[in-house]
Amino acid sequence: MSTGPKQILILGGGFAGVYTARCLEKLLRSEEASITLINRENYWVYQPMLPEVISGSIGLTNVVSPIRRLCPRTNLIMREVEDIDLKRQIVTISPGFRPRQIGLKYDYLVITLGNVTNFHGMPGLIENAMPFRTLADAMVLRNHLIHVLEEADVEEDQELRRELLTFVVAGGGFSGVEVMAELNDFVCSVKRNYLRLRNEPHRCVIVQAGDRILPEMSEVLAISAQRILRKRGVEIILNDRLKAATSERAILQSGTEIPCKTLISTVPSALPPVVQKLDCPKEHGKLLVNAGLELKDYEGKVWALGDCAYMTTIAGTKVPPTAQHAIREATIAAINIAAALHGGKRAEFGFEGLGTLGSLGYGAAVAQICGVKVSGFLAWCLWRWIYLMKMPGLNRKVRITIDWILRLLFPPELAQTRVAFESGIRNQYFEPGDIIFRQGDLGDSVYVIEDGECDALRDQNGEEQLLATLGRGEYFGEMALLSDRTRNATIRARTAMNVSIIPKEDFNKLRRSVPIFEDVFTELASRRAEAGSSCLSAEPSMPDGSSATAS
Amino acid sequence: MSTGPKQILILGGGFAGVYTARCLEKLLRSEEASITLINRENYWVYQPMLPEVISGSIGLTNVVSPIRRLCPRTNLIMREVEDIDLKRQIVTISPGFRPRQIGLKYDYLVITLGNVTNFHGMPGLIENAMPFRTLADAMVLRNHLIHVLEEADVEEDQELRRELLTFVVAGGGFSGVEVMAELNDFVCSVKRNYLRLRNEPHRCVIVQAGDRILPEMSEVLAISAQRILRKRGVEIILNDRLKAATSERAILQSGTEIPCKTLISTVPSALPPVVQKLDCPKEHGKLLVNAGLELKDYEGKVWALGDCAYMTTIAGTKVPPTAQHAIREATIAAINIAAALHGGKRAEFGFEGLGTLGSLGYGAAVAQICGVKVSGFLAWCLWRWIYLMKMPGLNRKVRITIDWILRLLFPPELAQTRVAFESGIRNQYFEPGDIIFRQGDLGDSVYVIEDGECDALRDQNGEEQLLATLGRGEYFGEMALLSDRTRNATIRARTAMNVSIIPKEDFNKLRRSVPIFEDVFTELASRRAEAGSSCLSAEPSMPDGSSATAS
C-alpha cells in the first residue's frame, strides 16, 4: 500500500461530478488525497440556462464555467472515458496528441457520466433529429436555425419555404418545453430582419407522448403552461410520439407526418456505453446504488450519482434526475469518500426536493415551490432569480445579469458562429417514395445502399421511364461526379432505405489516394455508360441563359 | 430593357461590400434599384478587433455584426460565389438545401471578395498552419490554444510539453503582431489555472521576412514595438521566413526548426479562385481598376474594391488594403453606381489615409496619426477609442465597452467552445526522418502514400530491423484497424512524404458500405500477415497491469 495521497477519480463534469470535487476539496487536504476529474470538455454546463443560448439572451460562454476555476485544486483531464475496470481499479482514457491509451489507477472512484441520447430502433433519428444536452448541441441548433431562416428568405418554392419554417420538438418534458419556448421567441424576434419572411408564418410543434406536457409538474400548472405556449403560437400534439424521421419530415406513431427541416428530440436517453457495459446491478437502466450512493459490491470504493444512478431516498422516494438532487448527492458522496479515507460518520441521502420550475420563454414560466403554484410573469421572475442565485461565482452572475439587461435594450444576436461546414461520409434514411435526387440536380455525392431498394427513373418527354431497380450493396450517383455533370435520372426509394453518402470532396480524395477505389468506380461508370439504360450516366448540363450556368 | 428596378449585385460582405450596400441604400430608392449582397456568412467581421477574440476580451459575437441589421434594405444571400460571367452578366452561387445551381443576372456588379490565404508550394502548410482571417479562424485558434494547454497540463513527456507550449506566428505585419500579442496575453493569464503549467515557461515566436516587424509603420515605431513585445516575452526572428511545416514543427528558410503544435500564418495571400479566373487585366495579382474603381473593359457595369482590387489614388499613391481605405472606396463606388444608374457626377478616389494603429496586447500599442507617433499605453487608449468609435451601431459599442470593463474585473474566459472533433479524410506532410507512427501505438487511422517513401521498422530486443520500404500508392496501418490491435511496427519517412490519412471511423464506414473496399483491405492484410515480415501486421497489445489496458 502506498503511503502517498489516495487517488480519487471523478468521471464526468456535470453537476454531480463538479460538486463532488468542490466538496472533496473542502473535506480533504492535499496530502491526504489527490483529486482528478475526467471530462470531455474543460467546462461545466449550467443546464437550466442552456436553452437561453438558442435565443442568444445569454452569451455562449456565460452559460458554462471553466472547471479549473470551479475546482482549483482538482486535476482536470480533458479526455473521454473509454473503459472502467472495477476489479483492477483502472480507468482507461482516450489518447491525446500521441496515440497511446492511458490507464489511471484509483483508490476511490465516482461515476457521474450522466446519460446519452439513444435513438436505437427509430429509423432516421440519428441522422435527422438533433439532441439538446450539451453546449455544442445548443450551438449547433442555434446555427441551424439561422441557416434555415437564411435559406427560407431566398427560397422561391412555397412548399420548401414552409418546410424550412417548421420546427418540431419531440418530448414535452421540461427540456423539450424550454427549448421550444426559446426557439419560438428567437424565430419571432429575428424574423423581422428577413425582408421576405417578415409576414410569413412559422410553425412550432411539440409532440408529447402523454396526455399533457410537463409530467414533472402538477396538472394545473401543466394546463396553464399549455395555454401560455398555445397563445404564443406553439402547437402541442398530445398522445403521440416520434417514430421516424427523414431529412424532410418527422413521422409520428399515429401516421401524422410533419414536413420540417428542424427536428429536436429530448427523448429517449440511455446510459453511456462505457457505463452500460459495467458488470454490476442496474435498475431502470441505471446503476443501482444504496442510500450512501455506493455501487453494489463496491461499497467504500465506488460511488455513482447524478443521471446515471438509480436510487431511492431514506424515505423510499425515487430520486429524480435534477440539478438540485445531483448537488445534494455530491455532498453525500464526498462525505462518504472522506469517511472511507480517514474514518468518520457516513451520510445517507434523504433530500426530497424543493420544487420545480420551468421557463416558457421570455416573461413566462411555471413554478411549484414548497407546495405553492405560480404561473406567468411572476413565476418567470422567480425562475430568473433562483437560477441566477444558484449559478456559482460572482463572475457569471454579473455577466448573466448584464446579458439580461442588454436583451431589454437590443434585439437578439443574429450572427451565425459556424466553424465548419458539415462534411464527411454520413448515413441517411429514406421512407418509401422519397426522392433521393432528381434528374437535373448537381452531382454532389455518391450513394451506397446499406439496405432497401430504389428505382432509377428518367423523365423523357414528360413520361416517367423506369431504368433500373437497385438494391443492397449497390452504388449510384458516381457518374455525375466522375464526369462533373448534372444527374440525368431521378432516384426514388422503393422501400425504406438506409444509404451511406460519400460527399464529392471525400469521394475525390479517395479516388486520388486509393487507386483501387478509382479503378472500381471508373470501371463501373464505363460499364453503366455502355449499358446505355444507365440511370447513373450523365449528360452535359445545359446552361440556360436566363437562370443557370454549369460549374 | 426592363423598366423594373435595376439589379445591383455586391459580392462579399467585408468592409468594402457592406459599406457599398449601406451607401447605396442612402443614394437610391427601392423603385430604382434592388440591392443584393452575397456572402458566405450572415455577418460582417470587424477585422481590427478580431484578434481580441483569442483572449476572449471581446465576446465572440460582439466582434461581428449581422449584415441584415447593417443593411436593412439589402437582400442578403448566404451562399458562396461559384462563378462570375462578366460577358453574360450572370453570377452563379452555390446550392442550398436543394442541389441546384442558381444564376443571378445583374445590371451592376461590385466585386469585393477580398483575398484568401495561399500556401501553394509550401509543403505541409495547408495541413499545419492556421490562417487568421475570419471569425471561424479566430474561434478555431482559440479552441486550439485551450486544447494544447489542457494537453500540456497532463503530458508527462518534457519534450512534448515544450512543443505544446510553443506558439509560432509567421508574418510580422499588423495582423501577425496583433495575433501574437493577444495570444501571449491569453496564455500568460490562463496558465495560472493549470496546476502543472503555472511555473512552466511558454515560448512565443514571430518570424518576419524583413529586418523589422510592422513594415507598414515608421522604423522608430517598429523598433519600439519590438522592444515592447520582447519585454513581454515574445521572441522575434528577423530576416527569415517559414518554408515548410509538419504536425510537430515549423521549418524556416534558414534551416532553423521550431518544434511546436501551434503555427499561425498571416501570409501569403492571393485572389480567391473565382476572381483569379476572371479574364480581365490584373496588377500585382489583383484586379486592376481605375480611380473610379471600375474594372477595365467593364466601366459603368462592374466595380472592384477592397483587398481584391489594385488601384492608385488620383495623386498616384498605391492604395493599401486597410479598412479606412475600403470604406472610402465603398463611398466612391456607390456614388459612381448611382451616377451610372440615373446620371450625375462621377467621383474619383483621392483618399491618402489618416494614419496607422497597431495593438501590442493589453495596455500597449503603436500609433502614427497625421504625422504624430505614439507608443505604449497612450497609443493603446487611442487605439481602443478610435476603433470603438468606428464600430457601427450603438449595440456593439455598448457591448464591447462592457466586455472591456468586465475584463478589468474578471480573468479571461477559459471554456473551449468546440462543436465537433476534427474528422474526415485528411492529408499530412512529413519531412525525411519523421516518425509517422510508433510500434505500440493505437491504430487510429490508415495511411495512403501520395508521394515519397517510408521505412517500416520493428524493434526486436532493442535492435531496429528494417521490414520493408513503401512507396507511392501503397497503404499502411490497416492491420491494426482490421484486428483492433496496436501497431507492431514503426513507420519512418525516408524522403519528404505526403500521405492521405483515413481515420478509423471513416475507414470502418467505407468497409461497411463499399464492399470492394472491404475486400481489398482484407485481402491485403491477409497477404501481409502471411508474408510474415509484414510491417503492417499486428500483435495483441499486452495489457500492462500498471499503466495501460487495451480498448
Side-chain angles (χ1 to χ4, degrees):
Chain A
M1 217 58 204
S2 78
T3 51
K6 294 281 185 186
Q7 295 298 325
I8 303 176
L9 217 51
I10 302 172
L11 312 183
F15 271 97
V18 165
Y19 277 83
T20 303
R22 279 163 73 93
C23 219
L24 285 172
E25 287 191 5
K26 278 180 215 141
L27 293 173
L28 302 172
R29 281 168 296 120
S30 319
E31 312 86 70
E32 282 179 311
S34 155
I35 309 163
T36 303
L37 191 151
I38 301 168
N39 194 41
R40 63 189 302 180
E41 307 292 355
N42 74 344
Y43 54 78
W44 163 79
V45 181
Y46 194 51
Q47 289 288 346
M49 289 192 183
L50 191 58
E52 295 206 33
V53 166
I54 299 172
S55 66
S57 65
I58 297 185
L60 211 60
T61 50
N62 294 347
V63 83
V64 299
S65 205
I67 293 175
R68 293 183 181 280
R69 296 215 177 106
L70 288 171
C71 320
R73 248 184 58 207
T74 300
N75 293 297
L76 173 68
I77 302 185
M78 204 172 88
R79 298 277 179 86
E80 302 266 358
V81 175
E82 300 211 323
D83 189 60
I84 304 170
D85 188 332
L86 294 173
K87 295 266 169 350
R88 291 164 58 219
Q89 301 189 196
I90 293 176
V91 168
T92 307
I93 57 174
S94 60
F97 278 99
R98 288 210 174 140
R100 300 256 170 184
Q101 232 159 19
I102 300 157
L104 300 170
K105 274 207 81 75
Y106 64 82
D107 295 300
Y108 303 106
L109 180 70
V110 185
I111 305 176
T112 71
L113 288 163
N115 51 24
V116 294
T117 308
N118 176 15
F119 293 135
H120 187 76
M122 301 166 82
L125 260 71
I126 294 175
E127 296 85 356
N128 302 300
M130 308 169 83
F132 193 87
R133 287 173 180 273
T134 64
L135 180 65
D137 291 342
M139 288 167 69
V140 167
L141 175 57
R142 185 183 146 75
N143 288 339
H144 173 82
L145 291 177
I146 296 171
H147 186 192
V148 295
L149 290 172
E150 294 290 345
E151 285 297 321
D153 193 60
V154 296
E155 185 54 56
E156 301 289 343
D157 182 314
Q158 177 69 31
E159 201 183 319
L160 181 51
R161 200 158 66 240
R162 244 195 323 257
E163 202 177 299
L164 288 164
L165 292 175
T166 301
F167 308 93
V168 179
V169 171
F174 274 126
S175 170
V177 165
E178 296 194 351
V179 167
M180 180 49 93
E182 286 292 323
L183 188 160
N184 187 36
D185 274 6
F186 178 65
V187 173
C188 286
S189 61
V190 302
K191 236 169 52 173
R192 70 179 66 112
N193 289 113
Y194 291 81
L195 290 177
R196 295 171 58 193
L197 299 185
R198 274 173 201 171
N199 307 310
E200 193 100 7
H202 69 274
R203 190 179 170 204
C204 282
V205 188
I206 292 180
V207 180
Q208 162 71 339
D211 59 359
R212 62 172 173 99
I213 58 167
L214 298 180
E216 304 93 334
M217 288 199 134
S218 74
E219 194 166 348
V220 186
L221 283 177
I223 302 296
S224 164
Q226 284 178 189
R227 208 185 50 241
I228 293 172
L229 287 172
R230 283 186 172 133
K231 223 165 106 185
R232 292 180 170 210
V234 176
E235 257 176 74
I236 300 170
I237 298 181
L238 298 171
N239 300 309
D240 207 344
R241 63 171 79 226
L242 189 65
K243 188 184 77 177
T246 72
S247 66
E248 296 186 334
R249 60 200 192 281
I251 301 161
L252 309 186
Q253 202 98 55
S254 64
T256 308
E257 300 203 343
I258 310 172
C260 64
K261 285 274 183 224
T262 309
L263 170 61
I264 301 143
S265 179
T266 57
V267 282
S269 59
L271 282 184
V274 67
V275 180
Q276 185 64 52
K277 71 182 180 191
L278 284 182
D279 181 27
C280 60
K282 297 187 187 92
E283 185 88 33
H284 289 89
K286 295 183 172 193
L287 298 176
L288 180 65
V289 295
N290 63 22
L293 296 156
E294 291 155 315
L295 199 65
K296 200 162 179 311
D297 304 336
Y298 298 94
E299 287 87 356
K301 284 276 168 217
V302 183
W303 287 259
L305 47 153
D307 295 2
C308 68
Y310 179 87
M311 64 169 307
T312 49
T313 60
I314 327 180
T317 336
K318 180 183 169 254
V319 179
T322 71
Q324 53 179 317
H325 289 87
I327 294 173
R328 269 81 178 186
E329 287 168 33
T331 313
I332 303 290
I335 291 172
N336 291 344
I337 293 169
L341 201 148
H342 53 39
K345 216 170 154 311
R346 278 181 73 257
E348 297 209 322
F349 193 76
F351 179 68
E352 296 287 348
L354 294 169
T356 45
L357 282 159
S359 167
L360 303 174
Y362 201 79
V366 279
Q368 180 174 347
I369 294 172
C370 309
V372 183
K373 291 168 191 151
V374 205
S375 75
F377 188 74
L378 186 65
W380 182 72
C381 295
L382 207 63
W383 188 98
R384 285 208 154 178
W385 176 252
I386 289 176
Y387 281 123
L388 183 65
M389 285 305 108
K390 280 182 164 183
M391 179 79 174
L394 180 67
N395 183 339
R396 300 292 148 170
K397 284 196 187 78
V398 170
R399 288 178 189 271
I400 291 172
T401 310
I402 291 172
D403 281 344
W404 283 342
I405 294 169
L406 290 176
R407 181 67 190 78
L408 294 174
L409 306 174
F410 302 116
E413 290 302 335
L414 187 53
Q416 195 196 45
T417 53
R418 165 186 63 174
V419 165
F421 290 79
E422 191 191 306
S423 78
I425 301 162
R426 61 186 200 277
N427 300 309
Q428 189 50 281
Y429 170 73
F430 295 94
E431 285 271 298
D434 280 2
I435 302 291
I436 293 156
F437 58 69
R438 276 169 221 277
Q439 195 169 334
D441 279 356
L442 287 173
D444 55 359
S445 10
V446 169
Y447 297 74
V448 190
I449 306 176
E450 304 240 306
D451 50 62
E453 283 187 351
C454 61
D455 289 332
L457 307 157
R458 187 175 298 162
D459 179 60
Q460 261 174 341
N461 311 319
E463 251 177 74
E464 194 182 87
Q465 187 195 348
L466 177 66
L467 299 173
T469 297
L470 302 171
R472 187 187 164 82
E474 288 192 271
Y475 319 104
F476 60 88
E478 80 291 348
M479 270 296 273
L481 263 69
L482 290 172
S483 58
D484 218 357
R485 292 171 182 185
T486 60
R487 312 282 190 194
N488 85 336
T490 295
I491 303 286
R492 192 171 62 201
R494 202 185 176 92
T495 64
M497 276 182 90
N498 282 296
V499 300
S500 281
I501 304 178
I502 309 174
K504 190 172 183 170
E505 201 188 326
D506 287 282
F507 182 71
N508 286 334
K509 265 191 207 160
L510 281 168
R511 277 174 61 202
R512 268 200 310 277
S513 56
V514 187
I516 187 73
F517 198 84
E518 165 77 353
D519 297 347
V520 167
F521 278 99
T522 315
E523 195 269 335
L524 181 72
S526 73
R527 190 152 40 83
R528 279 177 169 164
E530 263 169 43
S533 81
S534 167
C535 53
L536 309 144
S537 74
E539 60 192 14
S541 63
M542 284 297 157
D544 152 17
S546 67
S547 70
T549 55
S551 68
Chain B
M1 212 63 200
S2 79
T3 52
K6 294 283 188 187
Q7 297 298 325
I8 303 176
L9 216 52
I10 301 170
L11 312 183
F15 270 96
V18 164
Y19 277 82
T20 304
R22 279 164 74 94
C23 218
L24 285 171
E25 286 191 7
K26 279 182 214 143
L27 293 173
L28 302 172
R29 284 168 294 120
S30 318
E31 313 86 69
E32 284 180 310
S34 157
I35 309 163
T36 303
L37 190 150
I38 302 167
N39 194 40
R40 64 188 301 181
E41 307 291 356
N42 74 344
Y43 55 78
W44 161 80
V45 181
Y46 195 52
Q47 290 289 346
M49 288 191 184
L50 191 59
E52 295 207 32
V53 166
I54 300 172
S55 66
S57 67
I58 295 184
L60 211 58
T61 52
N62 294 346
V63 82
V64 300
S65 204
I67 293 175
R68 294 184 179 279
R69 297 216 175 105
L70 288 172
C71 321
R73 251 183 55 209
T74 300
N75 292 297
L76 173 68
I77 302 185
M78 204 173 89
R79 298 276 180 85
E80 300 267 355
V81 175
E82 298 211 325
D83 189 60
I84 303 169
D85 189 332
L86 294 172
K87 294 267 169 350
R88 292 164 58 218
Q89 299 188 201
I90 292 176
V91 168
T92 307
I93 57 175
S94 61
F97 278 100
R98 287 205 176 145
R100 300 255 168 186
Q101 232 160 18
I102 300 157
L104 300 170
K105 274 208 79 78
Y106 64 80
D107 296 300
Y108 304 105
L109 181 70
V110 185
I111 305 174
T112 70
L113 288 164
N115 51 24
V116 293
T117 307
N118 177 15
F119 291 137
H120 187 76
M122 300 165 83
L125 261 69
I126 295 175
E127 296 85 355
N128 302 301
M130 310 169 81
F132 194 85
R133 289 172 177 273
T134 65
L135 180 64
D137 292 342
M139 287 166 70
V140 167
L141 174 58
R142 187 183 146 74
N143 287 340
H144 173 83
L145 291 177
I146 296 172
H147 186 190
V148 294
L149 289 173
E150 294 289 345
E151 286 297 323
D153 193 60
V154 295
E155 184 55 56
E156 302 289 344
D157 183 313
Q158 177 70 29
E159 199 183 322
L160 181 51
R161 199 158 68 240
R162 242 196 323 257
E163 200 176 301
L164 288 163
L165 292 175
T166 302
F167 309 93
V168 178
V169 170
F174 274 126
S175 173
V177 165
E178 296 194 352
V179 166
M180 181 48 94
E182 287 290 323
L183 188 161
N184 188 35
D185 275 6
F186 178 66
V187 173
C188 286
S189 59
V190 301
K191 236 168 51 173
R192 70 178 68 112
N193 289 112
Y194 292 81
L195 291 178
R196 294 171 56 195
L197 299 185
R198 272 173 202 172
N199 305 312
E200 193 103 4
H202 70 275
R203 189 177 172 205
C204 284
V205 186
I206 293 180
V207 179
Q208 163 71 340
D211 59 359
R212 62 170 171 103
I213 59 166
L214 299 180
E216 304 93 335
M217 289 198 134
S218 73
E219 193 167 347
V220 184
L221 283 177
I223 301 296
S224 164
Q226 284 178 188
R227 207 187 49 241
I228 293 173
L229 287 172
R230 283 186 171 136
K231 222 165 108 187
R232 291 178 172 214
V234 176
E235 255 175 76
I236 300 171
I237 298 182
L238 298 171
N239 301 310
D240 207 344
R241 62 172 79 227
L242 189 63
K243 187 184 79 177
T246 73
S247 67
E248 298 185 333
R249 61 199 191 280
I251 301 159
L252 309 187
Q253 203 95 57
S254 63
T256 308
E257 301 203 343
I258 311 173
C260 64
K261 284 274 183 225
T262 310
L263 170 61
I264 302 144
S265 178
T266 57
V267 283
S269 60
L271 283 183
V274 68
V275 179
Q276 186 63 53
K277 71 184 180 190
L278 285 181
D279 181 26
C280 61
K282 299 188 186 89
E283 184 87 34
H284 288 90
K286 296 183 173 194
L287 298 176
L288 181 65
V289 295
N290 63 24
L293 296 155
E294 291 155 315
L295 199 64
K296 199 160 180 315
D297 303 336
Y298 298 94
E299 287 86 357
K301 285 277 167 215
V302 182
W303 287 258
L305 47 154
D307 295 2
C308 68
Y310 181 87
M311 65 172 305
T312 48
T313 60
I314 329 180
T317 336
K318 179 181 171 256
V319 179
T322 71
Q324 53 179 320
H325 289 89
I327 294 173
R328 270 79 178 187
E329 286 169 32
T331 314
I332 302 290
I335 291 171
N336 292 344
I337 292 169
L341 201 149
H342 54 36
K345 214 168 155 317
R346 280 179 73 255
E348 298 209 320
F349 194 77
F351 178 69
E352 297 286 349
L354 293 170
T356 45
L357 282 159
S359 166
L360 303 175
Y362 201 79
V366 278
Q368 177 173 351
I369 296 173
C370 309
V372 183
K373 291 167 191 151
V374 205
S375 75
F377 187 74
L378 186 65
W380 182 73
C381 296
L382 206 64
W383 187 99
R384 285 209 154 177
W385 176 252
I386 289 177
Y387 281 121
L388 184 65
M389 286 303 110
K390 279 184 167 181
M391 180 79 173
L394 181 65
N395 184 337
R396 301 293 147 170
K397 284 195 186 77
V398 171
R399 287 179 189 272
I400 291 171
T401 310
I402 290 173
D403 282 343
W404 282 343
I405 295 169
L406 290 176
R407 181 66 189 80
L408 293 174
L409 305 174
F410 302 117
E413 290 301 335
L414 187 53
Q416 195 196 47
T417 54
R418 164 186 62 175
V419 165
F421 289 80
E422 188 192 310
S423 78
I425 301 162
R426 62 186 200 278
N427 300 310
Q428 190 49 279
Y429 170 75
F430 295 93
E431 287 270 299
D434 281 2
I435 302 292
I436 293 155
F437 59 68
R438 274 170 223 275
Q439 194 171 336
D441 279 356
L442 287 173
D444 55 358
S445 9
V446 169
Y447 298 73
V448 190
I449 305 175
E450 305 240 307
D451 51 61
E453 285 187 350
C454 61
D455 289 332
L457 307 156
R458 188 174 295 161
D459 178 61
Q460 261 172 339
N461 311 320
E463 252 176 73
E464 192 180 87
Q465 184 193 352
L466 177 66
L467 300 172
T469 297
L470 302 170
R472 186 185 165 84
E474 288 191 272
Y475 318 105
F476 59 89
E478 80 290 347
M479 271 297 274
L481 264 70
L482 290 171
S483 57
D484 217 359
R485 293 172 180 181
T486 59
R487 313 282 190 195
N488 84 336
T490 296
I491 303 286
R492 192 171 61 200
R494 203 186 174 91
T495 64
M497 275 182 91
N498 281 295
V499 301
S500 280
I501 304 178
I502 309 175
K504 189 172 183 170
E505 202 190 326
D506 287 282
F507 181 71
N508 286 334
K509 267 191 205 158
L510 281 167
R511 277 174 61 201
R512 270 198 310 275
S513 56
V514 186
I516 185 75
F517 198 83
E518 167 76 353
D519 299 346
V520 167
F521 278 100
T522 314
E523 195 267 337
L524 180 71
S526 73
R527 190 153 38 82
R528 280 180 167 163
E530 263 170 42
S533 84
S534 167
C535 52
L536 309 145
S537 72
E539 60 191 15
S541 62
M542 285 297 157
D544 153 19
S546 66
S547 70
T549 55
S551 65

